[in-house]
Amino acid sequence: MSAVDFHAYYQPPRFLRHLRQRKGYPRIERTSAGESVFTAPGAGRLLRPEQLDLDARIEMMDKAGVQAQVLRLQNVGGIDAFEPSEAIEMARSVNEELGDVARRYPGRFIPFAAVPLQAPQSACDVAKEAVAGHGHRGVGASCQIAGVGLDDARYEELLATIEALGTPLLILPNHPSLLAPALEPYQWLSGAFGFQVDLTWAVLRLLASGVCERVPKLDLIVANLGGVLASITERLDEYWNRVHAGSSTMRQLPTIELRRFYYETASADPRAIAMAASVFGSDRLLFGSDYPSFALDRGMHNVLRSGLSTNDVDSILSGNAAALFSRAM
């Protein structure tokens, strides 16, 4: 098998050096197990050597059957937690480094730009620079920052800019989850469950607000199989029919509107992938592993064990990606 992985991240050396110098969170701290990126007191993720060694990563990709990875900065512990000026500077630095990685390993890594959502106007400039100057093929952005979603008016110009660039936008969860206060003291549920709710919230707000109507040519990719969307479509359609029929901001049934998006398969059970294919269509699914948070081969096995046809599996692993990028060129 040969796959394109839409959910992988990489923290470049310059970015890690910056985290080592920071006093506030996120920052790098030394622990008994080694260096870890801490987003809050006691909330650290170990920096494993294999995730920083790109040659070792390619060997792992080859074993798993992954031809290429979309490479981006992790949102959790990324620039979203910085002050605007710091976020702008680091986004530019990260995008330059990721562009260099893609040139050093042609055909293996596809860079997606980081953008400083704290500074929406600057985010437009950073996106343009990344695509035109560093060869980025897309943009990655959090579904919310400080409780403000991408449907907010402050991001309309950014979405229009990405649409004009002809590149897709990958929508990702971010720490802290909107549900974090409600999930105390069981904070492991924030990433396990809260992130899925956040993604669902973000997609529905983009549709209900009419934002998608204003950027009709923008390809939007939602991480983690779109949260819980596939399991609530019947309820969404019933509410739309009974309560909101004729809405000027969502003219078609939610099940139809949701086909505007692509959904990558990271963190999804094989049965969930099969359900998403039946609800959204296998042509709307893209492979994702969530490496290095999860094992690379795990994501591949989940797609292969979904029970979908060989043609559907091939489309999810690579065919849909080829069509998406050919249209974006």
Side-chain angles (χ1 to χ4, degrees):
M1 309 300 292
S2 179
V4 178
D5 182 0
F6 276 81
H7 195 142
Y9 66 84
Y10 174 65
Q11 291 151 312
R14 262 183 276 167
F15 181 75
L16 293 178
R17 286 198 295 271
H18 184 73
L19 290 186
R20 290 186 186 102
Q21 296 167 1
R22 295 191 94 241
K23 302 299 183 185
Y25 295 102
R27 68 191 187 201
I28 288 178
E29 297 179 11
R30 285 198 171 275
T31 69
S32 59
E35 286 190 322
S36 295
V37 177
F38 280 79
T39 55
R45 293 188 178 208
L46 184 66
L47 281 173
R48 299 188 301 273
E50 67 271 16
Q51 78 186 61
L52 307 177
D53 185 336
L54 290 173
D55 290 323
R57 182 183 289 229
I58 287 176
E59 288 182 16
M60 194 178 302
M61 289 163 60
D62 289 342
K63 289 178 182 177
V66 175
Q67 171 59 37
Q69 277 188 337
V70 167
L71 213 58
R72 58 172 180 81
L73 185 69
Q74 185 186 22
N75 291 54
V76 178
I79 62 171
D80 291 344
F82 298 167
E83 292 299 317
S85 61
E86 183 183 10
I88 295 166
E89 178 184 355
M90 289 314 303
R92 286 187 162 123
S93 174
V94 164
N95 293 339
E96 181 182 357
E97 285 194 87
L98 292 183
D100 290 342
V101 166
R103 282 187 288 274
R104 290 203 313 270
Y105 298 92
R108 304 313 304 266
F109 296 114
I110 304 166
F112 268 40
V115 289
L117 293 181
Q118 308 91 315
Q121 181 56 58
S122 294
C124 297
D125 297 333
V126 169
K128 292 175 188 175
E129 293 165 9
V131 172
H134 302 299
H136 284 245
R137 303 286 301 280
V139 174
S142 294
C143 65
Q144 58 87 19
I145 182 168
V148 178
L150 293 172
D151 62 295
D152 191 271
R154 72 190 73 178
Y155 296 125
E156 288 214 22
E157 185 178 354
L158 175 62
L159 298 181
T161 296
I162 300 170
E163 179 189 43
L165 289 170
T167 58
L169 172 63
L170 175 59
I171 301 172
L172 301 142
N174 183 33
H175 176 84
S177 164
L178 297 170
L179 285 186
L183 293 172
E184 289 282 5
Y186 315 110
Q187 273 308 294
W188 68 274
L189 289 173
S190 185
F193 173 65
F195 283 177
Q196 299 301 88
V197 175
D198 293 355
L199 289 167
T200 304
W201 171 90
V203 169
L204 293 177
R205 288 183 67 94
L206 284 168
L207 289 175
S209 65
V211 166
C212 289
E213 295 284 350
R214 296 192 285 277
V215 284
K217 295 182 180 179
L218 175 59
D219 286 312
L220 294 157
I221 307 165
V222 192
N224 298 358
L225 212 62
V228 300
L229 282 167
S231 65
I232 63 170
T233 50
E234 196 272 348
R235 185 175 180 84
L236 288 171
D237 280 355
E238 282 299 299
Y239 261 75
W240 187 89
N241 272 321
R242 292 169 180 266
V243 183
H244 299 293
S247 166
S248 61
T249 58
M250 194 186 294
R251 296 188 178 90
Q252 303 180 93
L253 282 170
T255 47
I256 297 173
E257 293 282 356
L258 287 168
R259 280 185 53 80
R260 290 176 176 269
F261 297 82
Y262 287 91
Y263 305 89
E264 56 89 356
T265 63
S267 301
D269 182 281
R271 294 164 295 184
I273 293 170
M275 181 173 70
S278 70
V279 172
F280 304 129
S282 59
D283 61 318
R284 307 310 293 179
L285 302 188
L286 301 163
F287 171 65
S289 69
D290 202 357
Y291 177 82
S293 292
F294 298 100
L296 183 57
D297 56 1
R298 165 187 168 275
M300 177 70 81
H301 292 159
N302 285 345
V303 175
L304 295 178
R305 290 197 293 259
S306 64
L308 296 171
S309 71
T310 299
N311 286 341
D312 284 346
V313 168
D314 287 344
S315 294
I316 294 168
L317 293 180
S318 61
N320 297 336
L324 174 64
F325 283 126
S326 66
R327 187 168 65 253
M329 291 179 66

